[in-house]
Amino acid sequence: MILYHGSYLEIAEPDLLHSRPNVDFGRGFYVTPLYEQGVRRYERKSDFTSKKV
């Protein structure tokens, strides 16, 4: 099974201890089987982080 995460890096071992506690479904490492959804998440996150200057 191939799963996608909104990141440009391969995540070999997700670190749940450092995940954000106050997200929609609680702490976790969110993935999707849909490539397009993973790309959209990456694009949203990269737009947000590039504006935090």
Side-chain angles (χ1 to χ4, degrees):
M1 175 187 299
I2 297 174
L3 297 172
Y4 300 96
H5 175 68
S7 175
Y8 64 92
L9 300 171
E10 178 180 332
I11 310 295
E13 295 182 28
D15 180 1
L16 299 181
L17 293 176
H18 293 95
S19 62
R20 295 180 305 162
N22 300 319
V23 291
D24 292 344
F25 299 104
R27 287 198 151 175
F29 186 78
Y30 296 95
V31 297
T32 177
L34 305 173
Y35 175 79
E36 295 81 11
Q37 189 176 29
V39 169
R40 283 194 311 269
R41 291 291 298 157
Y42 164 75
E43 289 171 346
R44 271 193 264 162
K45 285 168 83 176
S46 63
D47 284 348
F48 176 73
T49 55
S50 67
K51 293 176 185 173
K52 286 178 88 174
V53 176

